[in-house]
Amino acid sequence: MFRNKFFFFTLLLTFAGHWLPAQDYRWQQRVEYVMDVTLDVKTHKMTGTQKLTYYNNSKDTLRKVYYHLYFNAFQPGSMMDVRSRNISDPDGRVKDRIFKLKDDEIGYQHIQSLKQDGKDTQYKVNGTVLEVTLPKALLPGAKTVFDMKFESQVPLQVRRSGRNNREGVAYSMTQWYPKLAEYDFQGWHAYQYVAREFHGVWGDFDVKITLDPTFVIAGTGKLKNADKVGYGYEEPGTTVKRPAGDLTWNFVAKNVIDFAWAADPDYLHDRAQVPNGPELHFFYQKNDKILDNWKKMEGFAIRHFEHMNKTFGKYPYDSYSIIQGGDGGMEYPMCTLILGEGSLGGLVGVMLHEAAHSWYQGVLASNESLYPWMDEGFTDFSSQESEAVLLNTSLAEAHAGSYNAYFSLIKKGLQEPISQHSDHYNTNTAYSTASYAMGTVFLHQLKYIIGEENFYKGMRLYFNTWKFRHPEPNDFIRVMEKVSGLQLKWYMSYWVNTTKKIDYSIKTVLENGGTFVTLERMGEFPMPVDLVVTFKDGSKQLYYIPLNETMGGKPDEKVIPRKDLEVWPWVNPTYTLKIDRPAAEIASLEIDPSQRLADVDRKNNTADLSNGLKAYSNIIR
Ligand SMILES: [Zn+2]
């Protein structure tokens, strides 16, 4: 039957490529760190060894690898310093403080040796990036072991990491070790550190830290030798046998993208259990001024984890630590460092935000540098909703501040597309509004497009589908498409890649055997439209106009009785609908009464017909 056996074999090979699963390119690298460091609390110098097993799961042969050396940013003339002294709206915490650091206050990471599988590597340091040429190419599917010796000086705390923060916390040890950069289907992500976002490789950490025994350490992961350390880590009732001399703490963390810690001799340590969730640890200084607030925060933290677990997916680790330190609030896997001396409201607000990062930075771990809106925005969105639930305030208004920040950015003329790399925004204002506020609005507006039920189902499905996998924007919107049955890429493309605006208006209201309302799309950004008609008898009717681009509509959200209308083709500037009641019976009309549309001019969204139609006939706008 077959002309020859090779023909069939060739045919198989030809088609084999097409039969590969579509997501085959989504391999991810893996790391296993074993570190042993000693910190001298008098000189603030740290020496250490790092054994890093690196698994190349890519299809590429790697001849180089890159590490981040973040402490090097805290030196006069570093890119972070120069950037801060040249940007028009510098971060008040940084300004020219790096420029003014003295030799014994700067940070550095000196690599003393680096071997790959026992052979010396060639390496060079360029600012905060270490470029390593491998003596032996790392083949696809192979693993290799890097052995490094390093010496660091912990900088005076300027931004995030460092010693002696403004509340007197001794060490905020974040971005503190030579950290391998991520390599993925987009290549290396070895960005110079200019104070913004991060990215990391999934893996395991086994970290031994030796220091003065009067210091208490808090950080990522679980303390393995709690019975030798104590300080509230031991099982209740255990007798702690602390050895003489400096104390070694051994933390392990599995399946995380980073490891952070903090140390202070004055830390108190409280523990609290989240029902069906992690054990929470609180570390804060013995200080009568803050004790009460930290105790009160514990209840909020427990309820926050319960709400997040139920609404956005289950936190997968068995512990989480809230640690006084740093310079505001900063998220790390399984822990956060936050300032501790503010008001209860401020403290709780920061804690809610940082803990919510566990879902987006800690577990989904999208590339924050490329897509800060998927981390900061989604985090702000969920923590704002959690806060509304915890404080029993209006959920509908939970995101009003984010909308206002977006509108204000436009008014200032500073808006830039949010698709760009976080380091490269012209101003801190544009970066922070794009990441936090516009990321939040992106989600709340998506809720408007696909309906509330689909939205929350989609958020949980996204978390469960993409946890531990570094999702990309398209991965998110595909989940939302699948859950809603709608086409949504147009929405993400407009919101993320452009600075186009949404502006719908009520153009005319005319009577001619019924009431004819003409709506106009004044902005370049098309959207489906909710129009609510309030009648003089007090009843309301929602007219729902789907956008043709979505290829369908959202389910009835059952807030106001709804009538479904024909689609609005996105190219059409206007749309006319008929209301089957005389205009005399209508009190008012309103586009988007839920205020979820980021409509830049809400004044033209309403029409008050209580004085007749005159004002809305033949209007030339
Ligand atoms: Zn954040």
Side-chain angles (χ1 to χ4, degrees):
M1 290 283 287
F2 298 110
R3 270 174 293 175
N4 66 53
K5 60 186 177 183
F6 295 108
F7 173 75
F8 186 64
F9 188 62
T10 313
L11 202 71
L12 264 180
L13 280 181
T14 310
F15 283 98
H18 300 275
W19 293 338
L20 286 173
Q23 295 203 347
D24 197 54
Y25 68 98
R26 297 301 288 276
W27 42 266
Q28 62 190 26
Q29 306 296 71
R30 179 173 166 75
V31 286
E32 286 162 11
Y33 286 94
V34 178
M35 292 193 270
D36 193 340
V37 299
T38 301
L39 174 63
D40 182 332
V41 300
K42 290 191 187 74
T43 62
H44 312 297
K45 290 197 171 115
M46 185 173 57
T47 51
T49 59
Q50 182 191 79
K51 184 182 279 295
L52 170 63
T53 308
Y54 184 44
Y55 295 82
N56 180 17
N57 296 325
S58 79
K59 306 255 185 288
D60 304 326
T61 297
L62 302 180
R63 293 186 167 81
K64 281 185 180 181
V65 299
Y66 299 85
Y67 288 73
H68 301 278
L69 305 175
Y70 294 111
F71 275 2
N72 289 356
F74 302 101
Q75 298 172 8
S78 72
M79 281 181 65
M80 190 195 284
D81 171 40
V82 173
R83 178 75 166 152
S84 179
R85 286 185 290 117
N86 285 282
I87 202 161
S88 61
D89 57 346
D91 184 327
R93 293 167 290 202
V94 185
K95 284 188 184 160
D96 61 351
R97 287 179 61 212
I98 297 175
F99 189 67
K100 290 176 173 164
L101 291 175
K102 301 188 193 85
D103 281 354
D104 61 351
E105 295 172 335
I106 64 166
Y108 61 70
Q109 257 151 355
H110 291 161
I111 308 305
Q112 294 168 319
S113 68
L114 177 54
K115 291 182 193 295
Q116 180 202 12
D117 297 332
K119 291 199 184 92
D120 284 333
T121 61
Q122 283 187 323
Y123 55 87
K124 63 179 178 204
V125 176
N126 172 14
T128 61
V129 174
L130 173 73
E131 180 185 326
V132 184
T133 304
L134 306 184
K136 191 181 85 188
L138 181 56
L139 299 176
K143 70 172 180 180
T144 195
V145 177
F146 296 108
D147 276 296
M148 182 191 279
K149 281 192 182 138
F150 63 97
E151 191 213 11
S152 311
Q153 178 164 288
V154 183
L156 203 63
Q157 205 270 337
V158 173
R159 185 72 183 100
R160 299 188 176 116
S161 47
R163 67 196 208 231
N164 305 330
N165 84 342
R166 72 177 205 230
E167 295 182 344
V169 171
Y171 293 100
S172 302
M173 298 297 283
T174 62
Q175 293 89 33
W176 62 278
Y177 61 97
K179 177 182 159 191
L180 195 77
E182 178 62 300
Y183 180 77
D184 64 17
F185 72 99
Q186 302 189 64
W188 284 102
H189 299 278
Y191 316 117
Q192 292 286 343
Y193 183 40
V194 295
R196 288 215 176 119
E197 305 280 348
F198 303 94
H199 194 33
V201 191
W202 284 112
D204 300 342
F205 288 75
D206 184 322
V207 182
K208 286 197 179 96
I209 304 160
T210 302
L211 83 175
D212 181 304
T214 62
F215 280 69
V216 179
I217 300 182
T220 302
K222 202 175 169 67
L223 184 65
K224 237 166 100 179
N225 59 338
D227 56 332
K228 301 266 185 314
V229 167
Y231 287 122
Y233 281 100
E234 72 277 16
E235 286 302 317
T238 315
T239 315
V240 177
K241 281 191 196 138
R242 213 175 279 157
D246 282 356
L247 189 58
T248 299
W249 301 59
N250 187 186
F251 289 89
V252 287
K254 298 249 178 254
N255 220 13
V256 291
I257 52 161
D258 199 2
F259 184 96
W261 56 286
D264 193 85
D266 295 324
Y267 273 152
L268 296 173
H269 178 189
D270 294 343
R271 292 159 73 159
Q273 183 64 45
V274 177
N276 302 313
E279 184 179 33
L280 303 180
H281 297 254
F282 301 84
F283 296 89
Y284 53 101
Q285 289 180 318
K286 278 178 217 120
N287 172 351
D288 287 345
K289 280 195 309 202
I290 68 169
L291 186 78
D292 199 35
N293 281 351
W294 276 75
K295 290 281 180 201
K296 283 184 182 146
M297 179 172 62
E298 292 180 8
F300 287 103
I302 291 170
R303 288 168 60 207
H304 182 44
F305 271 83
E306 286 185 287
H307 177 77
M308 291 291 300
N309 277 343
K310 194 174 71 190
T311 315
F312 298 106
K314 197 165 186 320
Y315 177 83
Y317 306 105
D318 59 11
S319 70
Y320 184 78
S321 296
I322 298 165
I323 306 163
Q324 187 185 2
D327 55 19
M330 183 61 195
E331 68 280 7
Y332 297 97
M334 302 177 72
C335 71
T336 178
L337 269 65
I338 64 178
L339 284 177
E341 294 182 359
S343 65
L344 178 65
L347 188 67
V348 169
V350 174
M351 176 276 293
L352 296 178
H353 175 92
E354 304 310 334
H357 265 300
S358 297
W359 277 254
Y360 303 103
Q361 181 261 357
V363 174
L364 286 159
S366 294
N367 185 334
E368 306 160 37
S369 289
L370 293 182
Y371 321 117
W373 55 277
M374 292 180 78
D375 174 30
E376 295 299 352
F378 289 24
T379 295
D380 244 1
F381 176 87
S382 51
S383 62
Q384 285 167 359
E385 297 213 335
S386 189
E387 185 169 352
V389 170
L390 264 53
L391 302 180
N392 212 6
T393 56
S394 160
L395 194 59
E397 287 165 26
H399 311 296
S402 300
Y403 280 74
N404 290 337
Y406 165 63
F407 297 140
S408 144
L409 183 75
I410 294 169
K411 283 207 187 89
K412 287 180 194 149
L414 295 176
Q415 193 193 1
E416 300 173 47
I418 72 172
S419 55
Q420 74 184 308
H421 190 293
S422 61
D423 290 343
H424 296 274
Y425 282 87
N426 294 328
T427 59
N428 279 319
T429 309
Y431 149 73
S432 63
T433 310
S435 314
Y436 294 73
M438 287 185 69
T440 298
V441 174
F442 173 76
L443 288 187
H444 199 47
Q445 207 165 224
L446 184 61
K447 203 195 275 182
Y448 169 86
I449 299 170
I450 69 175
E452 197 159 314
E453 206 184 316
N454 280 337
F455 174 79
Y456 288 108
K457 222 189 273 174
M459 290 303 281
R460 286 186 291 274
L461 184 62
Y462 169 57
F463 183 80
N464 289 326
T465 307
W466 286 100
K467 58 188 172 189
F468 309 119
R469 291 179 64 195
H470 295 318
E472 299 279 312
N474 196 57
D475 301 323
F476 173 74
I477 211 71
R478 284 296 296 131
V479 169
M480 290 306 189
E481 287 189 333
K482 285 176 190 169
V483 95
S484 66
L486 301 180
Q487 186 170 284
L488 298 166
K489 276 184 274 292
W490 62 273
Y491 169 60
M492 191 170 74
S493 176
Y494 271 95
W495 191 255
V496 173
N497 299 326
T498 80
T499 56
K500 292 177 182 176
K501 316 284 186 295
I502 297 163
D503 183 15
Y504 280 88
S505 75
I506 297 167
K507 190 178 187 199
T508 59
V509 185
L510 304 169
E511 192 151 37
N512 186 7
T515 308
F516 290 86
V517 180
T518 297
L519 306 177
E520 183 171 13
R521 176 175 55 74
M522 320 267 288
E524 298 154 313
F525 194 144
M527 280 296 239
V529 174
D530 283 357
L531 176 77
V532 165
V533 181
T534 305
F535 296 97
K536 286 179 181 163
D537 62 12
S539 63
K540 284 176 189 281
Q541 177 78 56
L542 170 67
Y543 290 87
Y544 172 53
I545 310 167
L547 186 72
N548 72 328
E549 193 72 11
T550 57
M551 314 272 273
K554 66 179 160 187
D556 192 336
E557 292 180 291
K558 299 202 167 72
V559 180
I560 300 168
R562 185 172 109 171
K563 199 170 229 175
D564 292 354
L565 301 181
E566 284 299 306
V567 294
W568 186 333
W570 68 268
V571 295
N572 293 8
T574 60
Y575 183 98
T576 300
L577 65 126
K578 184 185 177 193
I579 298 168
D580 288 326
R581 285 172 73 171
E585 293 181 14
I586 299 173
S588 64
L589 307 166
E590 184 178 8
I591 294 169
D592 177 34
S594 67
Q595 307 222 334
R596 287 175 293 184
L597 271 188
D599 188 314
V600 294
D601 182 6
R602 283 187 180 152
K603 287 194 302 296
N604 58 20
N605 286 21
T606 51
D608 178 0
L609 302 190
S610 52
N611 295 320
L613 294 186
K614 212 166 166 206
Y616 299 97
S617 311
N618 291 318
I619 294 172
I620 299 164
R621 290 176 191 247

